[in-house]
Amino acid sequence: LFRGLIQNEEFKTKYINEMADQLNTILRTERILDSIDYHEALFLPEIQEHIDRWTRYPRPNLNDWKSYVERLRNYARARTENVHKHMDESLGAGDTVDVTLEVSDMGMGTLRINSVDIDENTKGVKGNAYPWTGKYFTNNPVVITAIAKPGYMFAGWNGIEGVEGIEVIEGDFEEEDEEDNSITVNLQRDIVIRAFFEEDPDYSVDMTKPSETIPSEPESSKDSSEDDGTGGNSSGGVIIIIFGVAGVLLSAILYRGI
């Protein structure tokens, strides 16, 4: 099935980009090394007892076990480059170039490259999400999309128009174009792309939606004594609160005399 699908150019393009996306995030070398370090520290206090109990299994001694863990690190360090080479040799993906993404203000918006939304929750990101850099292939176009947050709007791109070695396949790099927030480019060199955002003058908050705050108890029915720790108060009142999916408040009812 895969051999048949890979003959389709659209599928091949998406497959190569998906592989690059994974190598730049979930399978990022630094992230894999951090995972190895974490699990080594987790198991280390138990390994000597394990070796003694199971007669030198899985390694004859602790130092040999540590050397085996180091082999895992060496494999992780070399894996990304080997995959890049394999993708070029088997699928003609081309060489790799660095794509660096920046935003004018992360509080106003973020960027997506292919299938990856770049923010503080992106796998492989440590600390600030921007500037973010990933490696992509020269013979495979990538899609970059600007995503404005509520109250803001996309204002334009910077870093590509007129730059040699970069071909815009789809989209517009005019800085004043507010509609073209997605571009598709072929890359032959390292690139730094910055997206600009600004306040949206037409943005307004819908004040007609009902509030989801818990109704407050009337002043006349409040008891000044301390909470008795049962979920109600000293006068025997109990508040039953019902939440639905994603924490949305469905009902809040005060029962007295229970």
Side-chain angles (χ1 to χ4, degrees), residues 123-215:
K123 300 295 185 182
V125 166
K126 289 185 177 181
N128 296 328
Y130 294 93
W132 180 91
T133 300
K135 290 188 176 294
Y136 287 88
F137 295 95
T138 56
N139 293 343
N140 216 61
V142 297
V143 181
I144 303 170
T145 304
I147 305 171
K149 294 184 178 181
Y152 303 95
M153 59 189 295
F154 171 63
W157 302 100
N158 179 263
I160 292 185
E161 188 176 13
V163 177
E164 184 179 355
I166 300 166
E167 178 188 5
V168 180
I169 299 175
E170 187 176 334
D172 193 347
F173 276 88
E174 293 296 330
E175 293 188 5
E176 300 301 325
D177 191 341
E178 300 172 358
E179 301 299 327
D180 276 325
N181 67 325
S182 185
I183 52 171
T184 304
V185 292
N186 265 335
L187 307 174
Q188 298 300 322
R189 52 162 289 174
D190 296 344
I191 187 175
V192 179
I193 300 177
R194 173 181 283 257
F196 290 93
F197 299 93
E198 61 187 12
E199 292 186 4
D200 184 353
D202 298 324
Y203 178 78
S204 61
V205 179
D206 187 355
M207 302 300 293
T208 63
K209 294 182 178 180
S211 171
E212 294 183 352
T213 57
I214 300 175

